[in-house]
């Protein structure tokens, strides 16, 4: 089977370690094990025998995750290698050629591209900048047909940082219920809200609700590769069948660390640090955008370390980011790889000094491209 290239991930893999200023990351700057564990816990982990862990995740971790989603139990949870694996398992297990998927765009595009690779018809429901990156709900309803199998959303959204409104959430739930659809919500940015108030999960305990998430973004631990799916136990069993073929189980160290840092008080503390970091850095980014003399239109993000401004220059987004990368060694991502042109995604989760320097350099390229003002 031939899979379409996942342009965003492939380009990040090739370039993120090659540039001086990586503003392509969507998460907040990562933490170390020393940051999140006590000396006793570090000692405990260093002395652990590295056996295979339970393939679906340890009971303790599954209990801990289940406690975050009212109505779920450890049997509703599958621990995966990143939320990327959770998304992969759901797409490949629950969708078949000929099915239709209603898919929120702009988006990270993992699920949409994978689904279309296996012959699923992907119908885009677009987030509208004029609606503060929300959906038009009439348009959403017009996309359902007898072949629709799933609605897949991403909230908080990558790349816009928008949180799905209460009205939109009520409507997707109503539609999923009425048409008996899977409702898959990628919530890997949940917990990284700028307000400090955790946004609601789409998961309601309905049999076909699925939430995928993990520790890579709000929790600042992407190198653990720890994710999860929460859904009905029968569906978990089906997802697990494919997980037996992909990765068997998660690394024991990651499972152990996650079981500790996701305990309620520690989780709260971790997210408070994220909240503070995000607010400090968004102020830096906003100041820079405002100093660019109308070069950008911008709806500020409500969550996640990403902003998705529209730029007012006559150049396609891939060409633009390549120019910035090659001239200034600054990496940002083009709107095209999220399904929208004339935008760029700027990650502001890097340490403040690095962010300021990267923005200043990028500003030089933007300035060199402005139309000369007529005399
Ligand atoms: C919306 C979304 N889902 C999933 C992922 C994959 O994350 P993970 O590191 O948890 O596999 C990303 C990574 O950027 C993402 O933006």
């Amino acid at each position: 089977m031939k899979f379409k290239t996942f342009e965003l991930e492939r380009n990040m893999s090739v370039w993120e370690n090659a540039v001086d200023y990586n503003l392509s990351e969507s998460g907040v700057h990562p933490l170390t094990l020393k940051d999140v564990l006590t000396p006793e816990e570090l000692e405990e982990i260093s002395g652990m025998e590295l056996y295979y862990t339970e393939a679906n995740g340890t009971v303790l971790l599954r209990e801990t995750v289940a406690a975050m989603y009212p109505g779920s139990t450890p049997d509703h949870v599958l621990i995966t290698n990143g939320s990327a694996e959770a998304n992969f398992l759901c797409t490949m297990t629950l969708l078949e050629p000929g099915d239709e998927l209603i898919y929120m765009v702009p988006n990270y595009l993992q699920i949409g591209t994978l689904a279309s690779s296996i012959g699923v018809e992907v119908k885009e429901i677009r987030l509208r900048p004029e609606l503060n990156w929300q959906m038009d709900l009439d348009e959403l309803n017009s996309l359902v047909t007898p072949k629709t199998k799933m609605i897949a959303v991403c909230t908080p959204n990558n790349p816009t940082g928008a949180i799905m409104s209460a009205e939109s959430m009520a409507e997707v739930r109503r539609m999923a219920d009425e048409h008996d659809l899977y409702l898959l919500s990628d919530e890997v940015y949940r917990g990284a809200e700028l307000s400090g108030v955790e946004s609601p999960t789409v998961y309601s305990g309905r049999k076909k609700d699925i939430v995928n998430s993990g520790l890579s973004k709000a929790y600042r631990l992407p190198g653990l590769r720890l994710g999860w799916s929460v859904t009905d136990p029968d569906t978990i069993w089906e997802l697990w069948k494919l997980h037996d073929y992909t990765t068997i189980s998660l690394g024991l160290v990651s499972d152990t660390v996650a079981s500790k840092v996701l305990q309620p008080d520690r989780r709260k503390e971790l997210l408070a640090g994220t909240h503070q970091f995000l607010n400090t850095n968004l102020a830096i980014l906003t100041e820079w955008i405002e100093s660019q003399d109308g070069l950008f239109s911008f709806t500020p993000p409500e969550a996640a370390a990403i902003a998705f401004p529209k730029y007012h220059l006559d150049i396609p987004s891939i060409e633009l980011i390549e120019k910035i990368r090659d001239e200034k060694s600054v990496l940002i991502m083009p709107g095209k790889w999220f399904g929208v042109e004339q935008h760029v995604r700027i990650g502001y989760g890097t340490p403040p000094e690095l962010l300021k320097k990267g923005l200043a350099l990028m500003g030089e390229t933007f300035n060199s491209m402005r139309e000369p003002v007529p005399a």
Side-chain angles (χ1 to χ4, degrees):
M1 182 176 286
K2 294 265 188 290
F3 292 105
K4 295 179 184 171
T5 304
F6 190 173
E7 296 286 355
L8 174 77
E9 282 300 340
R10 176 47 52 99
N11 276 277
M12 281 178 71
S13 307
V14 170
W15 289 102
E16 66 188 345
N17 296 310
V19 294
D20 294 334
Y21 300 92
N22 179 19
L23 307 187
S24 72
E25 260 304 327
S26 59
V28 179
H29 194 65
L31 297 170
T32 66
L33 285 183
K34 278 190 188 161
D35 292 327
V36 296
L37 298 179
T38 64
E40 294 74 31
E41 288 170 338
L42 284 168
E43 184 64 27
E44 175 199 330
I45 287 177
S46 71
M48 271 183 349
E49 289 175 344
L50 296 174
Y51 53 83
Y52 281 109
T53 188
E54 286 99 312
N56 55 337
T58 58
V59 176
L60 174 60
L61 180 54
R62 287 185 291 113
E63 275 171 359
T64 308
V65 171
M68 293 157 54
Y69 299 93
S72 74
T73 70
D75 289 343
H76 289 73
V77 179
L78 178 68
I79 302 299
T80 57
N81 282 262
S83 34
E85 195 202 2
N87 286 339
F88 178 82
L89 299 179
C90 290
T91 309
M92 300 302 285
T93 302
L94 304 177
L95 297 175
E96 288 172 41
D99 287 343
E100 290 180 7
L101 165 69
I102 299 179
Y103 188 58
M104 179 185 268
V105 173
N107 206 326
Y108 176 56
L109 298 192
Q110 180 196 3
I111 293 170
T113 311
L114 192 57
S116 89
S117 290
I118 61 168
V120 171
E121 189 178 337
V122 179
K123 293 182 144 186
E124 296 181 353
I125 176 67
R126 302 199 78 84
L127 300 177
R128 307 262 165 208
E130 65 277 17
L131 300 177
N132 285 330
W133 294 117
Q134 297 294 323
M135 307 178 261
D136 175 325
L137 298 180
D138 291 332
E139 187 186 346
L140 175 66
N141 273 281
S142 75
L143 299 178
V144 184
T145 78
K147 289 186 175 169
T148 309
K149 187 86 160 285
M150 178 187 282
I151 304 176
V153 299
C154 177
T155 181
N157 174 257
N158 180 6
T160 63
I163 295 169
M164 197 196 283
S165 68
E167 194 191 1
S168 296
M169 190 173 302
E171 188 57 16
V172 285
R173 281 182 171 159
R174 193 202 60 72
M175 283 172 62
D177 211 20
E178 181 183 334
H179 302 282
D180 192 28
L181 307 176
Y182 287 106
L183 176 52
L184 170 59
S185 184
D186 181 334
E187 298 183 2
V188 74
Y189 296 96
R190 188 163 168 252
E193 293 79 8
L194 282 136
S195 66
V197 178
E198 202 165 345
S199 51
T201 173
V202 166
Y203 184 77
S204 69
R206 183 181 149 270
K207 199 170 164 63
K208 288 193 169 177
D209 281 353
I210 307 165
V211 165
N212 293 341
S213 189
L215 295 188
S216 294
K217 311 295 179 185
Y219 301 93
R220 308 173 61 179
L221 297 166
L224 288 182
R225 306 306 304 128
L226 193 131
W228 57 80
S229 261
V230 179
T231 186
D232 180 76
D234 293 340
T235 308
I236 290 290
W237 189 257
E238 292 304 309
L239 301 178
W240 186 357
K241 280 191 197 166
L242 183 56
H243 178 69
D244 287 334
Y245 285 104
T246 50
T247 58
I248 305 176
S249 67
L250 194 72
L252 178 63
V253 172
S254 297
D255 188 303
T256 307
V257 175
S259 303
K260 296 182 189 306
V261 302
L262 283 176
Q263 294 308 319
D265 284 354
R266 294 175 73 165
R267 174 173 179 267
K268 218 186 254 177
E269 205 179 302
L270 256 183
L271 296 182
T274 299
H275 174 229
Q276 194 185 0
F277 194 112
L278 285 172
N279 279 284
T280 306
N281 277 21
L282 182 58
I284 296 169
L285 177 65
T286 307
E287 192 184 324
W288 179 81
I289 286 182
E290 283 170 358
S291 71
Q292 299 303 307
D293 279 342
L295 202 58
F296 298 104
S297 308
F298 177 49
T299 306
E302 295 172 289
I306 40 180
F308 198 56
K310 177 173 186 168
Y311 58 86
H312 302 288
L313 290 171
D314 189 16
I315 179 171
S317 60
I318 295 178
E319 222 175 285
L320 174 62
I321 72 105
E322 287 177 348
K323 185 172 165 65
I324 294 168
R325 183 192 71 204
D326 296 344
E327 287 180 3
K328 303 292 177 188
S329 198
V330 177
L331 187 65
I332 57 171
M333 291 288 108
K336 175 91 175 167
W337 293 337
F338 301 93
V340 182
E341 257 303 354
Q342 293 299 119
H343 287 70
V344 284
R345 188 187 77 175
I346 304 173
Y348 62 91
T350 51
E353 285 317 308
L354 201 120
L355 175 63
K356 284 181 195 162
K357 191 80 209 295
L359 291 173
L361 285 167
M362 193 159 84
E364 291 172 9
T365 299
F366 276 115
N367 270 327
S368 73
M369 295 169 69
R370 284 175 193 271
E371 294 287 316
V373 181

